[in-house]
């Protein structure tokens, strides 16, 4: 999960709703169409979600790809990519739990891998994902789809597909809530002055 995301249990903060259910659905539908257009279909596409919230987003994206191209199979497109052991901040957060990596049956060699994450912030999660992918195979290309790009990059990483560009202050926190993990769909900014 990207820094500055996730649902925190605890006290309330000043929150501003940025995306609700219909906006998240429209963003994913638009991203699916952009993926299909850019890759001239999805025959060679593999969609890998980065835990935690990137995994349900990847499933939703794969489902939308299949809705447009019914000959595709969600399970043949979809996988997950745990990047925990590739992170450069393990010394600062040693209690991270290690998740599972699941590749589609055809693997990633020669494929176009679309990485899916909830929020793009510093770029460090995606750098870790690129390292993880290089240990798993040799894709033809790697593309990045994020629900929210909040800026503040520390590495030269840029998404190919963005649901919402959301300029934020460094002190603000972007929270992505998804039905599958949090019981509802919403993108919130905590500490926002709007």
């Amino acid at each position: 999960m990207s820094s500055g995301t996730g649902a925190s249990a605890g006290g309330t903060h000043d929150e501003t709703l940025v995306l609700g259910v219909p906006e998240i659905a429209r963003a994913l539908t638009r991203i699916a169409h952009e993926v299909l257009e850019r890759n001239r279909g999805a025959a060679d596409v593999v969609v890998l979600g980065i835990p935690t919230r990137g995994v349900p987003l990847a499933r939703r994206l794969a489902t939308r790809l299949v809705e447009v191209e019914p000959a595709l199979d969600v399970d043949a497109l979809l996988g997950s990519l745990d990047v925990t052991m590739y992170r450069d901040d393990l010394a600062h957060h040693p209690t991270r739990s290690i998740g599972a990596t699941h590749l589609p049956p055809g693997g990633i060699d020669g494929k176009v891998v679309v990485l899916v994450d909830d929020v793009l912030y510093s770029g460090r999660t995606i750098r870790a994902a690129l390292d993880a992918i290089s240990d798993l195979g040799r894709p033809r290309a790697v593309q990045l789809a994020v629900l929210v790009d909040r800026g503040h990059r520390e590495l030269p990483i840029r998404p190919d597909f963005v649901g919402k560009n959301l300029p934020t202050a460094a002190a603000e926190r972007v929270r992505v809530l998804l039905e599958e993990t949090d019981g509802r769909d919403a993108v919130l900014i905590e500490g926002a002055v709007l």
Side-chain angles (χ1 to χ4, degrees):
M1 179 171 45
S2 300
S3 177
T5 67
S8 62
T12 60
H13 303 286
D14 293 333
E15 294 180 333
T16 301
L17 178 67
V18 179
L19 298 175
V21 173
E23 293 87 7
I24 292 172
R26 279 195 300 271
L28 289 170
T29 298
R30 181 175 37 78
I31 289 171
H33 285 279
E34 291 172 359
V35 167
L36 290 169
E37 183 176 327
R38 180 169 186 172
N39 295 296
R40 296 184 180 95
D44 291 330
V45 170
V46 170
V47 180
L48 297 181
I50 299 173
T52 297
R53 287 167 184 80
V55 173
L57 288 172
R59 177 162 288 284
R60 293 184 193 187
L61 181 59
T63 300
R64 282 168 172 78
L65 293 172
V66 171
E67 287 170 0
V68 177
E69 291 195 9
L72 298 171
D73 175 22
V74 169
D75 293 327
L77 289 172
L78 186 63
S80 63
L81 181 67
D82 180 67
V83 301
T84 304
M85 296 310 295
Y86 294 89
R87 296 192 63 95
D88 62 3
D89 60 358
L90 284 177
H92 303 294
H93 304 286
T95 58
R96 284 186 191 271
S97 60
I98 298 175
T101 293
H102 298 288
L103 296 182
I108 63 171
D109 288 335
K111 305 282 187 177
V112 175
V113 172
V114 178
L115 286 173
V116 180
D117 205 3
D118 55 352
V119 177
L120 180 57
Y121 183 40
S122 67
R124 293 186 179 279
T125 298
I126 304 309
R127 186 215 45 87
L130 293 170
D131 288 347
I133 284 173
S134 70
D135 280 351
L136 296 171
R138 186 177 168 93
R140 186 172 80 236
V142 178
Q143 299 169 356
L144 176 59
V146 296
L147 184 59
V148 174
D149 182 353
R150 67 169 290 189
H152 303 281
R153 216 77 75 240
E154 296 172 4
L155 298 171
I157 290 174
R158 188 185 65 154
D160 299 280
F161 313 105
V162 179
K164 174 92 173 156
N165 284 298
L166 188 60
T168 60
E172 293 172 327
R173 179 175 165 87
V174 175
R175 291 179 58 210
V176 173
L177 306 175
L178 297 176
E179 183 69 36
E180 297 89 336
T181 55
D182 308 293
R184 70 178 178 128
D185 282 356
V187 175
L188 307 165
I189 298 180
E190 293 180 345
V193 181
L194 296 177

